[in-house]
Amino acid sequence: LEINRNVTFSVNSQEALVMCERLIEVFDEAGYVVDTAVADKDVINRFIPDTKSVFLIHGHDHANMLRLKDMLRDRFGVTPVVLSERPEKGRTLIEKFEKEAGNVAYAFAIMTPDDLVQTTAGTQTQARPNVIFELGWFYGRLGRERVCVLSKKSTSIHSDLHGLMRVEFAES
């Protein structure tokens, strides 16, 4: 398919709706589910892969990541996706992340006190930057209702995440 970007055309609203409906059908045929959310009177359509794959976002707490991975696979019959376990295939890290993360229907973010940071208020422990980045990516991609935050006690929560529901755990 070749696209000439210099060509402009106009469509009326009815034609635009028909095109949007066809696009949704194409995504549906390709194995995606259209998930509609309403936020501040705006409709947000997300195309969620129709899969039992879930992404595990984690920092340095590999023991709890492995516990969660085993539980999700063995007790709930879903396929956990752990980025470090996926083949490189000559991709950059962000290319690998986007490809692997783009094929899941749910994400778990394990926030653990991996980094010690000094602020004007004192010293605190917080999750790794990759955990926060990937958490935000999934909030945008899948919506907050398809992301579960698991937070180990003593992990400082970034201010943008205050008020969001999360599951807190002590050891495992």
Side-chain angles (χ1 to χ4, degrees):
L1 178 65
E2 196 171 308
I3 300 173
N4 183 345
R5 299 189 190 281
N6 297 324
V7 175
T8 60
F9 60 95
S10 62
V11 289
N12 65 37
S13 59
Q14 186 60 38
E15 291 171 327
L17 286 173
V18 170
M19 282 195 270
C20 288
E21 288 174 357
R22 180 59 190 132
L23 182 61
I24 290 171
E25 289 173 7
V26 168
F27 275 104
D28 188 44
E29 291 166 5
Y32 287 81
V33 176
V34 178
D35 189 20
T36 302
V38 178
D40 296 327
K41 300 180 187 173
D42 293 329
V43 175
I44 301 168
N45 285 321
R46 292 188 171 93
F47 297 97
I48 310 299
D50 191 10
T51 178
K52 287 190 171 194
S53 294
V54 298
F55 198 92
L56 304 187
I57 304 166
H58 67 92
H60 291 304
D61 190 344
H62 292 275
N64 277 318
M65 181 275 295
L66 291 172
R67 284 185 191 110
L68 178 61
K69 177 183 165 188
D70 291 345
M71 181 180 68
L72 291 170
R73 184 190 58 235
D74 299 342
R75 289 184 59 194
F76 298 102
V78 298
T79 305
V81 174
V82 177
L83 192 61
S84 61
E85 296 176 355
R86 300 304 236 203
E88 301 295 330
K89 298 181 183 178
R91 302 174 287 189
T92 64
L93 184 58
I94 193 68
E95 289 170 335
K96 180 181 174 183
F97 170 74
E98 288 175 336
K99 180 65 177 169
E100 301 297 335
N103 294 319
V104 302
Y106 200 90
F108 287 88
I110 306 171
M111 297 179 68
T112 52
D114 295 328
D115 288 352
L116 183 65
V117 295
Q118 180 69 41
T119 67
T120 55
T123 303
Q124 62 187 28
T125 56
Q126 66 184 24
R128 302 280 306 150
N130 72 289
V131 173
I132 302 306
F133 171 81
E134 293 170 19
L135 174 62
W137 192 91
F138 280 109
Y139 273 167
R141 173 79 176 207
L142 300 175
R144 288 192 322 260
E145 64 279 358
R146 289 180 171 269
V147 179
C148 178
V149 177
L150 307 170
S151 177
K152 189 171 188 176
K153 287 184 181 181
S154 80
T155 305
S156 296
I157 301 301
H158 294 74
S159 61
D160 288 350
L161 301 176
H162 284 189
L164 294 176
M165 294 299 296
R166 59 187 176 277
V167 177
E168 194 170 77
F169 64 97
E171 292 301 317
S172 64

